[in-house]
Every structure is written in C-alpha cells, then in structure tokens.
C-alpha cells in the first residue's frame, strides 16, 4: 500500500490530486462523472467580496494545445458562497478550498476574514494572479511589493492554511515565491494562466471581448514545470503545482519537479473524470517503482 | 444523469459537400434524450482541435442506441467529424443542457436558420406526439442551404426563404408572409440559428405578444457548467448557455 | 498587385516573411526544398565571437504543440562566418541578417564591429534573449539595465540597422522594448523562446542535458501575440514578430497585432517549404480583402 | 536532392504486436536511395505528435516507387504509424543522411540490436551486388525481439543472441563466440542499435583493429541540418547525426 496522504501546511489531503480553481466550478457539476469524494481537494471557483458578473462574451478562445479564457471571476460573492454554496458541498468528502480574490487589499482582507470563521474549510488560496480583471488580480502578483503586502495583510486575519497562488507572468518567479513565503504563506500554488491573446484574422479583431485572456492547458506545461522546479529550489514551504496536467504521467512530472500536491485544470473540460484516473495512475506508478510514500517523490528529480 | 461514453460511427448521410448527418452508436442503453439537449463531441485525430465541440442532438433511436447529429462544416473540428470511418470511436458527453418547453396551446412556428434546424427534429417528434400542429420556417442564403425538408415535412408545413430567392420566398425568414401578415395563428415560436436572426425573431415575438424560445449558441470549453465561458446576458445577470440553456425563453434574455 | 515590400529601419525586405535564427541554419540547408531567394530575409544561426560547441546531448524535447531546445549557440565563431559562410550565401537573393550573441558586452561589441564592416549585410539582430547559455544571453535581456547597456554599446559601433531581440521571460515586455528603443535600436524582434523544462517521468530525470531549455512552436503563439500587441502599442520603431507561426493565417495575426515583418521558426522543421507558402498566403489574403500594401495591415487590429 | 513528398500507405507486415514493416508508395519516381539513408516521417492525426519522426529506410523498390520502414512501437508516434489505413497519406522528407561505406576487402560482420537491423537490408543488397560476403549477428532481449532472419538469411549467415537464451547464444551480441574467439575473419563491422551496444562493439573493433561503422540514433527536430539538436561528440567537435551521419566511422567518434 502506497501512502498518498500529503500535507500542505496544516491542510491534510488524502492524496495529492486536487482540482484547479475556475475549472471545477463548485464540484457538484462533476458528480455525474466521477466520485468527487476521491479527490484530495477541490479549489472552488474564485470568490470576491461582492457579486461579479464577469466579462462580456466571448470569454473563450481555443489555441494550440490550450485555451484562453477571460471569465473574469464571475461569482455571487463571498456571503452567497458561505450561505448557499458551501453548506451544500462541505460534506462532499474532500477538502474544499476557497480561491480568494480582490481588487484592493481591503477586499482580500474582508473575504479572508469571513473564511477564517468558516468551519469546515481548512485553507484558502489567495489569488494574486488573475489576469482577467481590470483592478487587482494579477497586478498584485507581478509586483513584489504588492504581493508582499497582500500576503501579509491576509496572513494577519487568516489563521488556517494560507496558500498563495503565483502568477507566471513575471521575470523571477522564485523571488516572488520567496517574498510570499517570507510574508507568511504556508504554501504557494502555481501557475495561474499566462496572459495571452487570440486574433480572428478574417474579422481583424481580437477573439476575446477583453482582448487578452489567460492561457491554460498542455501548451503551458513546459514553462509551468520549469517554474515549479525553480520555486521548489527557492523556498521551504510546500508547492502546489499545476499548468497543463492532462494525465497521471504529467502529474508525476509536476511532483518530481517539486510539487507536494497538484491541481488539474483545463483537463477537466476535455475529460471530466480525468482527476480520479490521475489518482489511480499515481498509485500505479508508485507501486511499479516500489515507492511507499508519494511524498518521497516530491522534488526527487535526479540532476 | 450526464454521461461520458464512447460511441462508434455507424454511418453518414451527406446532404451536400459541407452538411452531413453522422450517426453514432453506443454499446449500452441511452438515457432519456429531450428536444434541445446537446452533446460535447471529442474530435479524434486532429492536432488542431483541443476542446470538445458542442452539437445539438438531431435524432436518437433508443432501440439501436444511436444518436445522430446534423453538422455543418465550418472549421477543423467539423471537417474532421466528416472524415471518420465507420466503426471509429468517438467520445461524447451527453445529454447536456435544458430542453424546449412544449407545454403550449395550439399551433407553433419553428424557425431555423442554416444548421439551426438541428434541434427541431426531436422537437417535432415530441410536438407531434402531443398533437400540437407545427409549421417550419427554414431560411438559408441560397437553396443549397435548405436541407431535410422531406424529413421535417412529415411533422408539419414547410415554409422556405432564401436570401437570393433561389428557393421559396426571397429574403430573410423575417420577411416571410407568415410573419409579415396581420393574422398570426401561432401560440409559440421556437427558433435556432444565427444570433441576428434570433434577435429579429424575438423582437417580432414581443410585438405579437407570443411566447418564444430560442436555442442559443456560444463558445464553450466544457459544456456542463464548469468553466463559465459560455455566458449570455439575461435579465438576472450572466447565465451559462450550457446549463441554464441552450434554450431560453426570450423574456429572460437581455436582448 | 499587392505591395509586399517592408522596411525595418534602413533594411529593405521584399516581403515581410523571414526565417528565425537557429531554425534555418544558414539557408542553404533549405535550397532543396524551396527557392530561398523568395524570402524577405534570413536571420542566420546565432553567432558568437569564438567557436562554441554548444551544449551536451540531449538538446531537444518535444512538448505539446512545441519543442524545447538547448542547442546553446553552437557555431564556429564570427571570423569563420565572415570568411567561409557569408561569401557562400550573400548572393542568395535575399537579405542575410546575423544574430549576434555574447557572454559579455565586450563580446557583443567585438562581433558587431566586425559585422559593421561586412559588405552585403545590412542589419544585425542583437540577441539578448538566448536562454541556453550559462553566461550572457537571456541574462542581458531580462534585466532593464543590462539590456540598455548592451544596446547602447552595440549602437555605438554598429551603424547599419540594429534589431534587438527581446526575451519573453519578463514581467513587462513593453518596458523592455521602450528601453532598447531609447538605447538606439532601429527595431525590436520578439519573441525568443520561453524558458521551459521537460521531465522523463520513468527515468526521473530532466530530458535536456541543461535541465531547462527554450520553448518554441505554436504552443507559445497566444503569449507571443499578446507581447507583440503590447510592444507595438508602446514603441515607435518597427516590430519583427514571431512565436509559433505555422501558416499564413498565423502570420497575418502577427501582422495585425503590430508586426512589420515576421519570422518563421520551428515550423521550418515540420515543413521546410512553409515559408514560401506563407508569402503566397499573405499575398492571397491581401488580394481577397483588397489590401494594396501589406504595411497597411500592420497593427490594424480593430479594438 | 532532398524531397518533401506525400506517400500513400501501401500495406503493413506485422512481425509481432509491436514491430511492423510499413510500405509507402509514391506517385512519382524515387531518387537514388543509399544504405544508411533515412526519412523524416510526419505522423498524421495524433495531437500528441508535433515533430516528424526519423526512420531508416528499410527497403525500396524503384519500380513501384515504394519505400519500406521497419518500425518498433515505443511511443505515440510509432504507435500511430501502426494504425494507418491503406491509402492514407503520409508526408516524408527523404532521402536524408549519409550512407554506409561499402568499399572494403573481404567479409563483413553486421551487428544489429532490436530495430537496429532496419538499415541493413539495403546494406546487404549492396554488399551482395559487390560480391562481399557478410554475416549478420542479431541480438535481442528475447526471441520475440529477433525478426526477419528469413529475409536477411538470403544475404548471409545469421547468428543470434538473446539475453534470456530463448534463441541462439545466451547473452549480449558481444558475448557471441564470433566476437569472443581469437580468430576474426571480418574486415569491417557495421552496427546499429542501442548506444551501449554500439560502444561495446566499437571497443572490440578497436582492439581487433578492424574498421567499424555505426549508425547512430539521436533526438531530431528537423533531420536535415537546420536545428543543430542532434549532435554527437566527435574528434572534431560536435557534429550533426542527421547530416554528418547517421553513419559514422567509430574513429571519428569521441567514444
Ligand atoms: C449548444 C450548441 C449546439 C450546437 N449545435 C450544432 C449543430 O447541431 N450542428 C452544427 O453544425 N453546429 C452546431 N453548433 C455549432 C458548433 O458547435 C460549431 O460549428 C463547431 O464547434 C465548430 O467547430 P470547428 O472546429 O469546425 O470550427 P472552429 O475552427 O472552432 O471555428 C471556425 C469559426 O467559427 C467560429 N465559431 C466556432 N464555434 C462557434 C460558435 N459556437 N458560435 C459562434 N461561432 C463559432 C470560430 O470563431 C471560427 O471563426 C452548436 C453549438 C452550440 C453551442
Ligand atoms: C536516424 C534514425 C533512424 C531511425 N530508424 C529507426 C527505424 O528504422 N526503426 C525504428 O523503429 N526506429 C528508428 N529510429 C528511432 C525512431 O525515430 C524513434 O523510435 C521514434 O522517433 C519514436 O517516436 P515515438 O513518438 O513512438 O516515441 P516518443 O513518444 O517520442 O518517445 C518514447 C520514448 O523513447 C525515447 N526516444 C524517442 N526517440 C528516441 C531516439 N531517437 N533515441 C532515443 N530515445 C528516443 C523518448 O525519450 C521517450 O522516452 C531511428 C532514429 C533515428 C535518429
Ligand atoms: C476557465 C478558467 C477559469 C479559471 N478561473 C480561475 C479562478 O477563478 N481563480 C484562479 O485562481 N484560477 C483560475 N483559473 C486558472 C486555473 O486555476 C489554473 O491555474 C490554470 O488554468 C492552469 O492550469 P491548467 O493548465 O491545468 O488549466 C481558471 C482557468 C480557466 C481555464
Ligand atoms: C532549435 C532552435 C534554435 C534556436 N537558436 C536561436 C539562436 O541561435 N538565436 C536566436 O536569437 N534565437 C534562436 N532560436 C529562437 C527562434 O529564433 C525563435 O525566436 C523562437 O523559436 C520562436 O519562434 P517559433 O515559435 O516560430 O520557433 C532558436 C529556436 C530553436 C527552436
Ligand atoms: S461551456 Fe463551460 S460553463 Fe458552459
Ligand atoms: S535534427 Fe536538426 S540538425 Fe539534425
């Protein structure tokens, strides 16, 4: 028997496979396709202080081995989540982790304070890397000073496990990771989407209503892997890795590069049951190589 | 209950060089399929197609466990779907989306533009079962865009418009006498096609104070409510075409 | 008849289609497959002051819709190029542009001085963005100060058209572009490859001998397009765009986003005759839409 | 003259579940093909295969304009090449690389490991034409890896080693008596297979002071000298396997 339990700070996951914010809604959408209680955890769709309608249509463009989205954090706000959504999913048998967004530091604080009080949720993911909002979001995550400020501010009010989600749209991701670690993060997650653009050559127009959007999917995997490797070697707190994971082999690569847990994102759209198969595949891999504990794989790349 | 399941290509019926019906067969029983439902089809073997493609369910046969799709070729995905061989495997997520509301008194008008007729065969079958008379108004740029009138003719009258006048009334569907004339015997309109067409029809339905449902298209990444990419503006905010739709009562839409 | 002539500074190209450095060798390798004189220009394989053996094998890993390379600027040095290679290709009927590399500013200066004297070569591309060398390369291109210094230093000794090739591995590519424009560049080219990594899950080892390498191909196209759009809107000198161009439609997208000329890179490996077909495709597109001058398309995206 | 050209799949010959010969036919005449040449094959219809795949030319027929490739399935690209249908189009860049040097006195020993025998049919044909006697030494992990001995048997003696002893001599090719014994009648060795095997053979060739050519593999992006990805260390620095090779005299290699 392989041990698949992993800890991200004080957050205990029954296995390293979780689903990425914004790609798994609130989990229930997948219950027809798979047993969601098998997951290590679910990072639910990004939350903001107030209701957000998100961006105008079109919000999606397919690209080579990937997609751009500019959803823009559509959600009904934190109070609605706490009152109506969380009660319905908190007993789904897996860890539910909120993805916290804000246009200002005050927003981040307000949402995090509410989640600090929320029983049954052990961790939050602080999203300072959303490329699809006019204010806040990625603007926090690509600037060392504001990344530090946001993390410190939330750390003051949030006492459970704080995971900070990093933007890949930076020159030195390892330095950003060190900054947020230093500012009190219990873990970092990466990568969020890359800022990209798609053009309709015939119409001579951008495809997305927002001109630019966030690139995800297997196309970004090589860059994501490199960043995880750099960050793993730069910090001490755990790394939650993602970016184009489509199958168990990809997940293993992210673990070898330094991820303690991984998130499955865009792959959920192509195959809504893929995350359970990734769990099985990791177990199989461990069995095949006599790995007793999946934690032994983390960062075990031979150089 | 939504399913992810492999189907085999059972056969094609080509309507012309860019429109075909593909029949897919499942080894297992099908769940109930409703008019308006769609499927997300994974296009096999094309490196330039990453996401699934959404298609209305054109027909289904619960005896042989087949689903049929009416496909118009517009890009790589639809072209590849037209090049499969009998027996090839195709993966589907289905049935997705809501359904047309056939609770209505009296006759209905069904207006389809181009491949927008796809969801109306199942609708026609259900209406016929309920004994509700229907008239199909089908529009195309030219006569080459008007297909399957023989099939739909089994369920009701067929009215045709073409922009170039090569078949039926010349003009858009909205120019057809059935819409232009004072008397309007229909209690409900169902429509599917290009956005501008549906918006024009919605306008007319409002003027005539007649119920109207439109089946919308949208760029979709998932098809089952996970990504929030496929929104349409409604009177109650942005809603997902894939789960709250694809069928919307036009009163709900912020058109 | 469509006018396809474009100018990059004083460099005159008969059409906007050129081939990217490191993907077209010195041009002759393609003469069996196509008429290389049809090209707007050829950016030849990166040159250094001295002979370089490049990195150890393996130097290549395939990725989703792309590839990683870590060739590491293998070349026989500038003197060998001037004495033996350039004479053989200078009359190939298209512009030959050198790609200049260095580990130090002195290297860049030395190579550029020699090329300033080279009759028949009207422009150089200053590569401050190679991710595959231990010293110099990308280190210059991701740091505003050294990017400025390298550009200024070369500008002093190089009097013909100076194109500076930017690294996409930065937070603010528009600022980097402004800096090199300000430092005297006649044009910028972008993007060079993204720093990425590939892992062999079974061997638990990086695939490349250098651990990380440069990502190219259609996978990077959405990010490259976005960067070109940002840079085009930030500077006045022409932009030479590239990153995953596989066909004429892609090339048009890069032109609409702001490229005055484009470079075809990785696509040359998949289809060695693609660059001529891209020229034909651009002409066809212009004809179809009644565009009389390809320059009218540059940056003409409707927002 | 290197060409980029479409071929049609003419047929398969399966040797076992993971080894096959695929025959491709061109509508036009083929240029001269030399033993050691390879082609870069574009794998159609697999989204996970972006670059072409290099394969030695196993056989060619200038009358019917066919090229054959001996393929061992090891990943997505080779698996997909095994699933094409007769008549499917496959694009090739060919002929690529240098060739074996058959200018030699007296008998030669040809040592192939696994799919490393691929380039030796054309070599055998050329040697036979020149009247040079040859012996094939073929190695595999098990008897299931040893193929085509009937074909090669038409050109010379066949010696076999398997690691598990299930066929021929037990052990590696280097353990075979023909190599171990004092007397060594061969004037030249040709080898192709896994690097460790070829290195061991090169060592032996050096000891015996016999000429030796090895056909190397490498990860290739282009196959025709454009990318510089496929280098091998030689006594004169890094050189490209695709243009300066794939055949190298072992004296040139920094092994
Ligand atoms: C719920 C639903 C039901 C549908 N039912 C049918 C059907 O029954 N029969 C049928 O033929 N088609 C149907 N469609 C449309 C079908 O999904 C698209 O034609 C298909 O996805 C195009 O794929 P492609 O790869 O061929 O084209 P692509 O290469 O993806 O696109 C080609 C061009 O068409 C545009 N485009 C693609 N998809 C859409 C879209 N959904 N809306 C607007 N523009 C688009 C692209 O921007 C691009 O310019 C339906 C769509 C939805 C959302
Ligand atoms: C000049 C030349 C001639 C060749 N001739 C033949 C031939 O006649 N018959 C034949 O079966 N094969 C031949 N090969 C090898 C063949 O090119 C590879 O097996 C093929 O590219 C694998 O593709 P794939 O997509 O199936 O595997 P992939 O999915 O690309 O790879 C699967 C695994 O194999 C490894 N791998 C892939 N290619 C190579 C390689 N070239 N060297 C070492 N490891 C590799 C990968 O790292 C990976 O771990 C030749 C290679 C070269 C360079
Ligand atoms: C449609 C869509 C919506 C997303 N929404 C969010 C979000 O609300 N919050 C967030 O932190 N990340 C969001 N992401 C980013 C993903 O969580 C993930 O970081 C990214 O997609 C990379 O992983 P992948 O390549 O596996 O998809 C979204 C991604 C997609 C595709
Ligand atoms: C094998 C390989 C070698 C390269 N060598 C160089 C180089 O010597 N100098 C340089 O400036 N860029 C080099 N590049 C980068 C390309 O010129 C180009 O910027 C990049 O590949 C992106 O374009 P593409 O996606 O069209 O390939 C190289 C790229 C590849 C794939
Ligand atoms: S397509 Fe994903 S939510 Fe509708
Ligand atoms: S494979 Fe490109 S140079 Fe050899």
């Amino acid at each position: 028997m392989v041990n698949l339990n992993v800890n991200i700070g004080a957050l205990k996951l029954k296995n390293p496979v979780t689903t990425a914010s914004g790609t798994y809604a609130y989990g229930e959408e997948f219950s027809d396709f798979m047993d969601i209680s098998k997951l290590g955890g679910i990072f639910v769709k990004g939350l903001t202080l107030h209701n957000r309608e998100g961006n105008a249509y079109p919000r999606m463009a397919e690209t080579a081995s990937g997609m751009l989205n500019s959803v823009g954090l559509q959600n009904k706000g934190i109070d609605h989540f706490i009152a109506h959504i969380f009660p319905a999913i908190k007993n789904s048998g897996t860890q539910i982790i909120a993805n916290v967004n804000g246009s200002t530091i005050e927003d981040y604080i307000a949402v995090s304070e509410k989640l600090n009080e929320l029983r049954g949720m052990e961790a939050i993911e602080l999203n300072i890397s959303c490329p699809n909002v006019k204010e806040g979001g990625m603007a926090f995550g690509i600037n060392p000073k504001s990344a530090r400020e946001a993390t410190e501010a939330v750390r003051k009010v949030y006492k459970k496990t704080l995971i900070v989600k990093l933007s890949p749209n930076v020159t030195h991701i390892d330095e950003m990771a060190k900054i947020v670690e230093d500012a009190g993060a219990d873990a970092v997650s990466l990568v969020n989407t890359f800022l990209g653009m798609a053009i309709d050559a015939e119409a001579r127009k951008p495809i997305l209503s927002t001109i630019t959007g966030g690139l995800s999917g297997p196309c970004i995997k090589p860059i994501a892997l490199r960043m995880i490797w750099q960050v793993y070697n730069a910090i001490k707190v755990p790394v939650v890795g993602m970016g184009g994971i489509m199958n168990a082999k990809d997940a293993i690569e992210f673990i070898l590069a330094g991820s303690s847990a991984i998130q499955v994102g865009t792959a959920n759209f192509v195959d809504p049951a893929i995350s359970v198969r990734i769990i099985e595949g990791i177990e199989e891999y461990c069995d095949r190589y006599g790995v007793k504990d999946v934690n032994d794989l983390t960062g075990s790349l031979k150089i | 209950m939504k399913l992810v399941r492999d189907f085999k290509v059972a056969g094609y019926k080509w309507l012309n060089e860019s429109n075909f019906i593909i029949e897919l067969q499942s080894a297992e029983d099908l769940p109930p399929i409703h008019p308006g439902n769609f499927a997300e089809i994974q296009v096999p073997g094309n490196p330039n197609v990453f996401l699934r493609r959404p298609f209305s369910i054109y027909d289904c046969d619960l005896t042989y466990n087949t689903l049929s799709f009416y496909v118009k070729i517009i890009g790589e995905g639809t072209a590849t779907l037209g090049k499969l061989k009998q027996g090839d495997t195709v993966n589907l997520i289905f049935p997705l989306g809501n359904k047309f509301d056939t609770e209505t008194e009296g006759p209905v008008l069904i207006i389809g533009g181009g491949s927008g007729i796809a969801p109306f065969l199942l609708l026609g079958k259900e209406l016929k079962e309920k004994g509700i008379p229907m008239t199909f108004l089908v529009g195309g740029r030219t006569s080459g865009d008007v297909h399957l009138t023989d099939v739909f003719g089994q369920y009701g009258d067929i009215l045709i418009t073409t922009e170039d006048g090569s078949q039926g009334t010349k003009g858009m569907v909205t120019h057809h006498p059935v819409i232009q004339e004072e008397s309007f015997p229909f209690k409900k309109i169902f429509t599917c096609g290009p956005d501008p067409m549906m918006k024009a029809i919605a306008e007319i339905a409002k003027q005539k104070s007649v119920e109207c449902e439109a089946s919308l298209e949208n760029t979709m990444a998932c098809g089952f409510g996970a990504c929030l990419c496929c929104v349409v503006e409604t009177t109650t905010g942005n809603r997902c075409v894939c789960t709250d739709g694809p069928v919307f009562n036009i009163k709900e839409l912020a058109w």
Side-chain angles (χ1 to χ4, degrees), chain A residues 63-165:
Chain A
T63 65
S65 298
M67 61 176 278
L68 289 162
N69 89 82
S70 60
V71 171
L73 297 174
Q74 177 176 336
N75 79 104
K76 292 198 159 46
I78 182 67
D79 292 336
H80 181 267
F81 174 77
I82 290 174
H84 301 291
I85 302 176
F86 190 65
I89 58 174
K90 74 172 175 190
N91 295 320
S92 53
T94 184
Q95 297 284 2
I96 306 290
I97 302 125
N99 177 267
V100 173
N101 295 269
S103 309
T104 62
I105 298 252
E106 290 65 40
D107 285 2
Y108 281 116
I109 295 175
V111 176
S112 304
E113 270 177 339
K114 289 174 193 256
L115 290 168
N116 192 47
E117 305 303 318
L118 187 62
R119 282 188 59 185
M121 181 179 291
E122 304 305 324
I124 60 172
E125 180 177 53
L126 189 70
N127 184 5
I128 54 170
S129 42
C130 179
N132 295 324
V133 287
K134 280 222 188 70
E135 283 130 34
M138 190 177 103
F140 282 102
I142 61 174
N143 179 320
K145 188 162 159 289
S146 56
R148 176 187 297 280
E149 281 169 11
T151 308
E152 279 174 349
V154 169
R155 178 72 295 177
K156 283 210 187 86
V157 301
Y158 191 76
K159 304 304 174 194
K160 295 179 276 184
T161 298
L162 171 60
I163 305 166
V164 178
K165 186 162 181 181

Side-chain angles (χ1 to χ4, degrees), chain B residues 1-254:
Chain B
M1 180 78 179
K2 300 184 282 269
L3 302 168
V4 189
R5 190 187 279 183
D6 278 347
F7 281 67
K8 299 270 178 209
V9 176
Y12 284 97
K13 183 174 159 187
W14 284 87
L15 306 173
N16 63 11
E17 66 293 329
S18 59
N19 289 269
F20 62 87
I21 292 166
I22 181 169
E23 190 180 39
L24 304 174
Q25 187 165 36
S26 165
E28 292 163 79
D29 280 353
L30 299 180
I33 307 288
H34 302 289
N37 284 172
F38 69 98
E40 279 279 0
I41 303 187
Q42 191 160 32
V43 177
N46 185 327
N48 299 321
V49 180
F50 174 63
L51 296 165
R52 289 170 185 262
R53 296 288 188 266
F55 296 94
S56 298
I57 297 175
Y58 169 70
D59 201 359
C60 75
D61 185 328
L62 299 178
T63 312
Y64 294 99
N65 297 326
T66 60
L67 294 179
S68 297
F69 298 90
Y70 171 101
V71 180
K72 183 180 156 73
I73 296 180
I74 66 155
E76 295 251 7
T78 45
T80 301
L81 282 180
K83 284 184 198 147
L84 303 177
K85 302 207 168 65
Q86 208 173 320
D88 280 356
T89 300
V90 179
N91 188 275
L92 264 62
I93 306 181
F94 77 105
L96 298 171
N98 65 355
K99 55 187 179 187
F100 290 109
D101 180 2
T102 55
E103 292 302 308
T104 176
E105 318 269 309
V108 303
L109 180 62
I110 299 174
I111 310 178
S115 67
I117 59 162
F120 292 143
L121 181 60
L122 289 183
L123 176 65
K125 288 185 177 182
E126 182 167 308
L127 289 168
K128 192 173 181 183
E129 225 163 66
K130 289 192 170 180
I132 299 167
M134 67 201 97
T135 298
F136 296 94
L137 171 54
V138 185
R141 232 182 300 272
T142 171
S143 69
D145 299 331
V146 178
H147 303 291
L148 297 170
T149 47
D150 50 335
V151 176
F152 286 98
Q154 299 168 31
Y155 299 89
D157 295 335
I158 308 277
L159 310 174
I160 293 166
T161 64
T162 51
E163 291 175 37
D164 65 357
S166 54
Q167 195 177 352
T169 304
K170 182 170 172 153
M172 311 286 207
V173 284
T174 44
H175 299 142
H176 195 278
V178 78
I179 286 179
Q180 292 296 326
E181 277 164 18
E182 261 317 294
S183 81
F184 191 80
F186 306 104
K187 294 284 177 282
K188 186 160 187 173
I189 300 175
F190 296 99
T191 182
C192 182
D195 261 22
M197 180 197 97
M198 293 196 288
K199 283 183 182 161
I201 289 162
E203 204 43 57
I204 290 164
K206 276 180 204 160
Q207 281 166 19
K208 296 192 192 288
S209 302
V210 60
E211 283 289 299
C212 179
E213 284 189 345
S215 178
L216 307 188
E217 288 201 5
N218 208 301
T219 35
M220 296 186 171
C222 70
F224 50 86
C227 73
L228 307 188
C229 286
C230 64
V231 290
V232 61
E233 263 184 89
T234 71
T235 52
T236 55
N238 279 333
R239 281 164 62 193
C240 281
V241 170
C242 72
T243 47
D244 292 328
V247 180
F248 289 88
N249 191 306
I250 58 153
K251 283 183 253 172
E252 304 170 277
L253 297 173

Side-chain angles (χ1 to χ4, degrees), chain A residues 63-65 68 142 169-172 194-206 211-212 215 218-223 225-226 229-230 249 252-254 256-257 285 288-289 291 296-297 300-303:
Chain A
T63 65
S65 298
L68 289 162
I142 61 174
N169 299 291
V170 297
T171 312
H172 300 290
F194 289 78
L195 194 64
M197 181 169 172
I199 291 174
D200 181 336
E202 307 302 325
R204 289 199 219 170
K205 287 199 304 199
I211 306 176
T212 60
L215 184 67
C219 54
I220 66 170
K221 193 183 89 169
I223 318 181
L225 269 180
R226 179 266 293 181
W229 173 244
Q230 287 180 324
K249 191 180 138 293
I252 299 281
E253 292 171 20
F254 276 77
L256 294 173
Y285 178 95
R288 186 146 43 94
Y289 288 105
V291 176
D296 294 343
L297 287 180
S300 71
L301 201 67
K302 294 174 220 156
I303 298 296

